[in-house]
Amino acid sequence: MALAQTGMVRDKIVAANPGLETEIVVVNTVADRILDRPLSEIGGKGLFTKELEQALYADVVDVAVHSMKDVETWLPEGLIIACILERDDPRDAFLSTRAQGFAGLPAGSRVGTSSLRRAAQVLMRRPDLTIVPLRGNANTRMRKLEEGTCDATLLALCGLERLGMADMARSVLSVEEMLPAVAQGALGIECREADADVRALLAPLASPRATAELAAERGLLAELDGSCRTPIAALARIDGDTLALDGLLFLPDGSAHWGTQRSGSVADAARIGREAGEELKRAAGDTYARHLQ
């Protein structure tokens, strides 16, 4: 997936800067190597970016391509997300050998996922289902599904589409059924903050719409100190000059959740996100605080 996304972004950079010579440098991350444990147990989603950021610091690469849902809330000093590309469909896809959707799964069915966000929302609506850990790339997860490791699993629709595998989905979940991860569907390009020439090359690829949406969603995440240990979902949508943000905070077992809906000017996207996060933190109170301990 990472290589496919990097190739897509490289093609966009070259199209915007004809004649530019590029090279794709493959960097393996800890998160790619350790697949038998949830990210929350091995250091969080920063494991998708650490080695790439080290390569930026060492001048081995000039840009790093990230799925923005895997990017930590705060970046290392001297690095910035210089460009957020036009966002793809942020919804989740439902894959199963037994049903077209959650409603068709018999009680006791096993849903494979290592995402606390997905697990919490599944259990919130279907506490009679069982969550089993499942990590790996799309091919690995679908193979485990076919082998019977689980009866259903969830993947980001955009990932399947980028791999040309969207037809594997039995259904696409509405955002009311499964609110997406913060920044799901968006690709970002990280570079050294002082590298003005590289930033100029990337500028034509930036999507103002996606940039505003992610400012709101990541603003919410920052207020909640969001990490892989905390099930958080958020989605911002823009209509004209108005941005609407939905956010949810859960306990991992789905036994409690808190929601917020806010809207305002697109120009105030980051503030809307921060205020939404503050609202969720107040609503969850001590229950949420105890979970973080």
Side-chain angles (χ1 to χ4, degrees), residues 128-170:
D128 58 323
L129 299 178
T130 299
I131 302 297
V132 296
L134 186 67
R135 286 193 59 217
N137 60 33
N139 285 320
T140 297
R141 296 189 205 190
M142 285 188 284
R143 185 184 72 249
K144 290 184 178 181
L145 181 64
E146 292 168 357
E147 292 172 349
T149 301
C150 55
D151 301 303
T153 188
L154 300 164
L155 291 169
L157 176 61
C158 63
L160 291 174
E161 290 177 336
R162 290 166 188 164
L163 293 171
M165 300 167 64
D167 59 336
M168 301 299 295
R170 297 296 292 271

Side-chain angles (χ1 to χ4, degrees), residues 185-253:
L187 295 176
I189 309 178
E190 187 177 21
C191 72
R192 294 175 289 273
E193 187 172 11
D195 204 334
D197 291 341
V198 171
R199 294 173 65 177
L201 292 173
L202 300 176
L205 279 67
S207 165
R209 183 187 190 93
T211 300
E213 290 173 351
L214 265 64
E217 294 171 25
R218 285 173 63 82
L220 178 150
L221 193 69
E223 286 300 318
L224 293 170
D225 297 324
S227 71
C228 283
R229 292 177 53 242
T230 311
I232 298 169
L235 180 64
R237 286 165 284 193
I238 292 173
D239 183 6
D241 294 328
T242 300
L243 180 144
L245 175 67
D246 290 304
L248 285 171
L249 173 66
F250 311 85
L251 291 187
D253 62 1

Side-chain angles (χ1 to χ4, degrees), residues 6 9 13 25 27 48-56 61-68 71 79-83 85 187-192 198 202:
T6 301
V9 172
I13 293 173
V25 178
V27 177
F48 280 111
T49 60
K50 182 178 179 181
E51 285 89 351
L52 292 166
E53 289 169 340
Q54 289 173 341
L56 282 169
V61 300
D62 297 304
V63 301
V65 176
H66 301 302
S67 292
M68 286 301 297
V71 175
L79 301 180
I80 61 167
I81 300 296
C83 170
L85 283 69
L187 295 176
I189 309 178
E190 187 177 21
C191 72
R192 294 175 289 273
V198 171
L202 300 176

Side-chain angles (χ1 to χ4, degrees), residues 89-92 102 117-118 120-122 124-126 172-181 233-235 237 244-248 250 257 261:
D89 196 322
R91 294 176 295 172
D92 281 310
F102 284 118
R117 170 191 65 88
R118 289 173 175 146
Q121 291 187 78
V122 170
M124 181 179 73
R125 293 174 172 84
R126 289 288 308 271
V172 178
L173 302 178
S174 70
V175 297
E176 289 74 28
E177 291 178 278
M178 180 68 60
L179 195 64
L235 180 64
R237 286 165 284 193
L245 175 67
D246 290 304
L248 285 171
F250 311 85
H257 69 279
Q261 292 182 318

